[in-house]
């Protein structure tokens, strides 16, 4: 399961990052919002790369932007493999994506907590991260579905609905597929 989740998540997360970026570019053309150089600044701080004022190198910005997208895609793929699929799982993953950004940006001193942001910026950020999360989720869910239901889904099928007294799947059946 982990091997599948790795390659499927890297693929889906990268595609999700591309779709998010395309959406950002369309939004920027409409709103006039400038490019963000926060990803590059975070990567510079995390790796000790030299920092510079103003516009940051595009390859550094893309490395962080797409690197985060790809790596977090692995987590969404693990969710899908386990049986956490569909829009609700993608909504949960949106929060994970936003939280990941905020931890890195605030821990490095590059960003500020979202409650301090202008509301319009906050809405735009949440929207773009949701596009990423749902795109990544659609892909990981489809790839995981090729292997049938995940362990959580198989457990739920033992007795539909939430009930006490339903034991876990047998150990050997949890990841048999």
């Amino acid at each position: 399961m982990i091997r599948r989740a790795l390659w499927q998540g890297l693929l889906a997360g990268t595609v999700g990052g591309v779709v998010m970026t395309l959406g950002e570019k369309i939004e920027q053309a409409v709103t006039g919002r400038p490019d963000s150089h926060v990803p590059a600044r975070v990567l510079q701080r995390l790796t000790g790369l030299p920092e510079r004022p103003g516009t940051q190198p595009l390859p550094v910005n893309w490395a962080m932007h797409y690197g985060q997208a790809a790596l977090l895609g692995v987590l969404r793929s693990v969710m899908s493999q386990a049986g956490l699929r569909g829009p609700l799982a993608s909504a949960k993953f949106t929060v994970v994506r936003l939280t990941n950004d905020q931890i890195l940006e605030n821990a490095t001193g590059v960003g500020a907590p979202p409650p301090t942001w202008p509301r319009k910026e906050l809405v735009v950020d949440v929207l773009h991260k949701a596009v990423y999360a749902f795109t990544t989720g659609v892909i990981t869910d489809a790839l995981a579905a090729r292997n049938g239901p995940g362990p959580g889904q198989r457990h739920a099928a033992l007795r539909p609905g939430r009930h006490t007294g339903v034991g876990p799947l047998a150990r050997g059946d949890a990841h048999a597929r």
Side-chain angles (χ1 to χ4, degrees):
M1 178 178 95
I2 297 300
R3 194 171 298 141
R4 279 193 309 265
L6 182 61
W7 77 262
Q8 291 174 3
L10 290 171
L11 172 70
T14 300
V15 172
V18 168
V19 171
M20 177 177 67
T21 302
L22 291 173
E24 288 170 338
K25 294 304 175 191
I26 292 167
E27 172 265 318
Q28 287 175 307
V30 171
T31 64
R33 185 175 63 85
D35 286 338
S36 171
H37 297 279
V38 169
R41 292 180 188 286
V42 169
L43 186 57
Q44 290 164 345
R45 296 259 173 112
L46 289 172
T47 61
L49 288 170
E51 296 181 52
R52 61 167 69 167
T55 303
Q56 300 303 304
L58 192 57
V60 178
N61 220 37
W62 282 358
M64 186 64 177
H65 182 73
Y66 289 110
Q68 271 187 282
L71 290 175
L72 283 173
V74 174
L75 176 59
R76 182 60 178 90
S77 185
V78 169
M79 292 171 66
S80 296
Q81 293 292 333
L84 300 169
R85 300 177 187 163
L88 183 57
S90 290
K92 291 175 184 179
F93 184 60
T94 300
V95 174
V96 170
R97 180 66 172 94
L98 289 161
T99 301
N100 178 76
D101 274 6
Q102 289 309 305
I103 289 170
L104 293 173
E105 292 169 14
N106 282 270
T108 57
V110 171
T116 66
W117 297 7
R119 285 286 171 240
K120 282 172 88 172
E121 284 186 38
L122 187 57
V123 169
V124 166
D125 192 52
V126 170
L127 176 65
H128 290 310
K129 297 312 186 300
V131 166
Y132 161 79
F134 278 79
T135 300
T136 302
V138 165
I139 296 167
T140 61
D141 288 352
L143 291 170
R146 297 182 323 168
N147 299 105
Q153 292 166 314
R154 291 196 306 275
H155 182 262
L158 294 175
R159 186 168 175 206
R162 189 166 178 130
H163 301 283
T164 59
V166 179
L169 293 175
R171 186 181 299 254
D173 293 336
H175 298 289
R177 296 185 176 148

